[in-house]
């Protein structure tokens, strides 16, 4: 179902005209109200009046996470504090937190966009939406919550934690849609099995759809979750600085790339090293400009997420451009002896291998000035039960060879007992890099 038929299927020309109007308005607002942007624009010698076409976007300055940190907490706000009705914050892995704010209209738009996202996943007002993203300063819980209510569905605001109780609630209340991180979905699946419950048995569990995001996950992981749980696992993307979840969403019709809600966000792909805009279809860093955000509007925000844009018309009828599944963040790309490796590439290899569970961790170290990578992955109970030493050795060899073949790096593979790696309730920490600091 398309939640906002008119906006989501606007003919390209009309969409671009709307974007241009909104871009000019955005520039006027930030130039007049945010000293950081007044200075940046002045330094580059541009004013809002210079924006005559969407191509002029590339003459505008970038905004980076460090700018938000430097102006902590309210320095980039474009409206008086009285007009801000909500704050969220994101901690990130390093440094100070960043604080983002929302006006009444920002919250309203966000609810609309998350409602669009849930509808694109196939959800509607008859659904029972179980939200296991964390509620609080993290945008996942409340973002999904307002969207599900806007859609008219019934919401179970479960938040994260108390995993066994969540599974029982999902059974008792008849959850049909689950919103959480993909790693937490796996955890719920495991907890269900321990309770003798099976998500695939639709007489027992009514779940049909997952709306998963907030961390990178591979296509292979999608297949695993879908197979284990008997559901459609859909990908939702977003980030707190831009809004929260609901910036882009896959449609159930194509399940190939996430539609970026272009009437609210203007995407570009740049070369992360040079900052140059790349041609359509090339892989690089996603940059987003918020067209309608009032409280903290951002011009050309560098997301650090690596993806590419797909402008082939989609069979669902939406005209908004799609972005490919995020393959990783430019800042969590590992460089192992000079070779670039994304954790999601390792995940893809592990998840498609019979006999393993989708639970893994990557440890990186430097020994005698040489990078060492160890991939720890849990064996499945079945594999372990039939496990002569020979089979285990063969599995280790097989994985080491696949990683070498596909990524060009040598990894130590360590097979570990089922359930021995720690489980996350929110974003999984896949990599422990001991080389830093
Ligand atoms: O994770 C917002 C969110 C909540 C998105 C719930 C989807 C669902 P932050 O904590 O600010 O916000 O983290 C944003 O998470 O820049 C990406 O690196 C990563 N991320 C988010 N969604 C996806 C996804 C929320 N579908 C950062 N695939 C982003 C891959 C994702 N990475």
């Amino acid at each position: 179902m398309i939640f906002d038929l008119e906006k989501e299927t606007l003919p390209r020309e009309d969409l671009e005209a709307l974007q241009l109007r909104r871009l000019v308005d955005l520039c006027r607002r930030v130039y007049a109200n945010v000293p950081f942007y007044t200075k940046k624009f002045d330094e580059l010698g541009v004013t809002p009046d210079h924006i005559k076409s969407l191509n002029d976007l590339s003459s505008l300055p970038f905004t980076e996470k460090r700018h938000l940190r430097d102006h902590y907490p309210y320095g980039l706000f474009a409206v008086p504090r009285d007009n801000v009705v909500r704050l969220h914050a994101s901690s990130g892995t390093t440094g100070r937190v960043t604080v983002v704010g929302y006006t009444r209209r920002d919250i309203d738009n966000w609810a609309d966009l998350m409602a669009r996202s849930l509808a694109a996943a196939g959800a509607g007002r008859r659904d029972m939406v179980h939200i296991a993203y964390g509620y609080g300063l993290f945008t996942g819980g409340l973002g999904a919550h307002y969207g599900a209510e806007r859609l008219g569905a019934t919401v179970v605001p479960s938040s994260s934690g108390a995993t066994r109780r969540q599974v029982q609630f999902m059974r008792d209340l008849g959850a049909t849609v689950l919103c959480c991180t993909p790693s937490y979905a796996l955890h719920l699946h495991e907890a269900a099995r321990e309770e003798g419950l099976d998500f695939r048995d639709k007489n027992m569990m009514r779940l049909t759809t997952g709306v998963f995001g907030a961390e990178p996950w591979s296509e292979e992981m999608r297949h695993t979750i879908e197979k284990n749980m008997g559901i459609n696992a859909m990908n939702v993307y977003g980030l707190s600085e831009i809004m929260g979840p609901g910036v882009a969403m896959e449609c159930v019709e194509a399940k190939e790339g996430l539609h970026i809600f272009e009437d609210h966000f203007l995407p570009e792909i740049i070369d992360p090293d040079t900052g140059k805009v790349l041609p359509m279809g090339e892989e690089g860093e996603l940059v987003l400009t918020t067209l309608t955000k009032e409280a903290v509007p951002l011009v050309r925000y560098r997301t650090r997420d690596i993806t590419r844009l797909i402008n082939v018309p989609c069979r669902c009828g939406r005209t908004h451009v799609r972005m490919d599944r995020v393959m990783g963040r430019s800042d969590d790309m590992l460089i192992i002896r000079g070779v670039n490796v994304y954790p999601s590439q390792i995940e893809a290899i592990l998840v498609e291998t019979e006999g393993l569970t989708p639970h893994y961790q990557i440890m990186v170290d430097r020994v005698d000035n040489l990078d060492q990578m160890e991939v720890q992955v849990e064996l499945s109970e079945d594999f372990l039960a039939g496990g002569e030493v020979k089979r285990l050795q063969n599995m280790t060899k097989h994985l080491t060879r696949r990683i070498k073949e596909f990524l060009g790096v040598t990894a130590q593979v360590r097979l570990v007992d089922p359930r021995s790696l720690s489980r996350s309730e929110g974003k999984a920490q896949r990599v422990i890099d001991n080389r830093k600091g």
Side-chain angles (χ1 to χ4, degrees), residues 65 90 133 138-141 180 211-217 235-241 244-246 258 303-305 325-329 427:
K65 184 148 183 130
S90 103
Y133 285 119
F138 177 53
T139 53
C180 65
V211 177
F212 302 140
E215 65 188 12
W217 54 310
N235 197 356
V236 62
Y237 170 83
L239 58 169
S240 5
E241 292 82 2
L258 298 82
T303 65
R304 302 280 164 197
D305 291 321
R325 162 187 292 290
V326 171
M327 70 176 301
R329 293 176 54 79
K427 294 176 193 255

Side-chain angles (χ1 to χ4, degrees), residues 335-349:
I335 304 184
I336 308 292
R337 301 193 192 182
V339 182
N340 297 351
V341 176
Y342 287 102
S344 61
Q345 295 174 305
I346 301 206
E347 175 181 299
I349 294 172

Side-chain angles (χ1 to χ4, degrees), residues 346 372-375 396 399-400 403-404 409-413:
I346 301 206
Q372 310 274 0
M373 178 167 70
E374 180 176 273
V375 176
T396 310
L399 289 175
T400 312
I403 293 172
K404 178 82 188 169
V409 293
T410 305
Q412 269 75 52
V413 172

Side-chain angles (χ1 to χ4, degrees), residues 15-31 41 47-61 262-268 288-292 297-300:
L15 182 57
E16 286 179 4
L18 175 70
Q19 288 178 321
L20 181 59
R21 276 200 311 278
R22 289 184 166 174
L23 178 63
V24 172
D25 175 60
L26 163 78
C27 289
R28 294 212 171 104
R29 284 185 288 127
V30 297
Y31 191 68
F41 278 46
T47 67
D49 296 331
H50 280 98
I51 306 295
K52 302 280 183 236
S53 85
L54 289 177
N55 289 332
D56 296 324
L57 180 63
S58 59
S59 63
L60 297 175
E262 276 192 282
D263 47 339
H264 293 271
F265 311 107
L266 202 50
E268 298 167 274
L288 291 167
T289 296
T290 64
L291 294 173
T292 51
L298 295 179
V299 176
R300 304 191 82 202

